[in-house]
Amino acid sequence: MSIFRHISLAVVALGLLPSVPAQAETAGEVYGAYSRMMSRSAGQFWADGRAAGQWAWKPLSDTTSEISWGDPAKWPPSYAEKFVHDGDWVMLDGWRDNGTYYRVRITKEQIGDATCENLRTLATSGRQHYVKWEIPGQAYCLKAWGTITEESSGKVVDFGHTQIWSPPAPCTNAKYGRKTCVKQWESWWDNQGAPGKPITRKLERDQFIARGIGMAFAIQQYFPKAWRAEAHSDWTW
């Protein structure tokens, strides 16, 4: 059951300028302008001089869109994550793969400051709060714990997910030059393959998402091994 393939496919980033707050740039900006999630957008990212992966958004309604990640040589993939724009938030519902659907539901969520302190309860059930739709002028931390259910079999995996989202700041890569990005740092934990056991760390990375370009503008993976990639092309399909 490769329900965390999105974790290994998306991984992470090249030479960015220092991520400093750019509060003046955030007024009225929304996550959709950076991710391009509500349009038929796509892009390819490269590492070591060749294509390392590809992504594509497919809007399903005015509020719901799914993003596929995969090998451009074997496109389209069976894998796609489903996100829902619900009021102030973009929520992660789950993903499809292996001919089934993997439903994500949280049991506890917290929100705090840029250092993941001053935490308060955000939710105790439902979809995962993934990112704020309107981009705030200050970084914020999200912590989530919950379950992922393979609907075809009923198998359940426990997970923990910590994210720190930073406001727009200058970023650059070799292909596009200087742009403006929001930064997502994340650490993912689960007990896949060891049901009932404690969750263990599976991924830690930075991802930079560029205004008007989209996902994986730059990725810097730190765990399970150092890995770097950056956007090489983007388009609308």
Side-chain angles (χ1 to χ4, degrees):
M1 160 170 95
S2 59
I3 65 178
F4 298 106
R5 187 166 53 176
H6 69 298
I7 290 172
S8 60
L9 285 173
V11 269
V12 192
L14 275 179
L16 294 177
L17 299 176
S19 181
V20 295
Q23 296 185 35
E25 297 186 23
T26 68
E29 291 204 292
V30 297
Y31 177 71
Y34 286 75
S35 65
R36 301 172 67 196
M37 69 172 282
M38 300 313 299
S39 66
R40 286 179 171 249
S41 58
Q44 196 173 103
F45 51 99
W46 283 35
D48 302 320
R50 62 180 184 274
Q54 186 166 300
W55 58 270
W57 284 105
K58 179 183 179 181
L60 304 178
S61 72
D62 290 342
T63 60
T64 303
S65 189
E66 64 177 24
I67 183 170
S68 296
W69 296 87
D71 181 348
K74 300 176 181 178
W75 200 266
S78 63
Y79 179 86
E81 302 164 354
K82 184 164 76 172
F83 290 90
V84 180
H85 176 202
D86 183 3
D88 296 336
W89 290 92
V90 174
M91 314 289 285
L92 174 60
D93 185 79
W95 54 84
R96 58 177 172 83
D97 198 9
N98 303 318
T100 189
Y101 192 73
Y102 298 91
R103 186 177 68 254
V104 174
R105 293 296 180 266
I106 62 95
T107 54
K108 180 181 179 181
E109 282 186 317
Q110 295 177 316
I111 186 169
D113 60 26
T115 60
C116 290
E117 296 180 350
N118 301 308
L119 294 164
R120 60 178 177 83
T121 299
L122 181 60
T124 57
S125 63
R127 298 181 176 114
Q128 182 186 350
H129 290 75
Y130 191 81
V131 63
K132 290 183 178 181
W133 181 253
E134 292 190 5
I135 300 172
Q138 299 291 337
Y140 61 97
C141 172
L142 296 172
K143 286 181 170 286
W145 298 266
T147 60
I148 300 160
T149 302
E150 184 180 56
E151 293 190 345
S152 62
S153 67
K155 292 179 181 178
V156 176
V157 170
D158 301 307
F159 78 91
H161 190 201
T162 299
Q163 302 181 87
I164 298 174
W165 287 92
S166 298
C171 56
T172 188
N173 75 18
K175 181 63 182 291
Y176 287 90
R178 185 181 177 94
K179 299 296 179 181
T180 300
C181 292
V182 291
K183 174 187 172 183
Q184 175 206 34
W185 173 87
E186 65 176 333
S187 178
W188 178 274
W189 299 55
D190 67 58
N191 62 1
Q192 183 183 15
K197 300 293 185 180
I199 60 176
T200 58
R201 183 172 59 148
K202 301 297 174 64
L203 174 72
E204 182 179 347
R205 70 171 184 169
D206 287 325
Q207 179 185 191
F208 294 79
I209 304 169
R211 182 199 291 143
I213 295 171
M215 311 299 290
F217 180 78
I219 302 172
Q220 179 60 60
Q221 178 175 292
Y222 306 109
F223 185 87
K225 64 179 181 178
W227 187 87
R228 297 155 75 97
E230 62 177 16
H232 189 266
S233 59
D234 71 279
W235 62 91
T236 300
W237 58 280

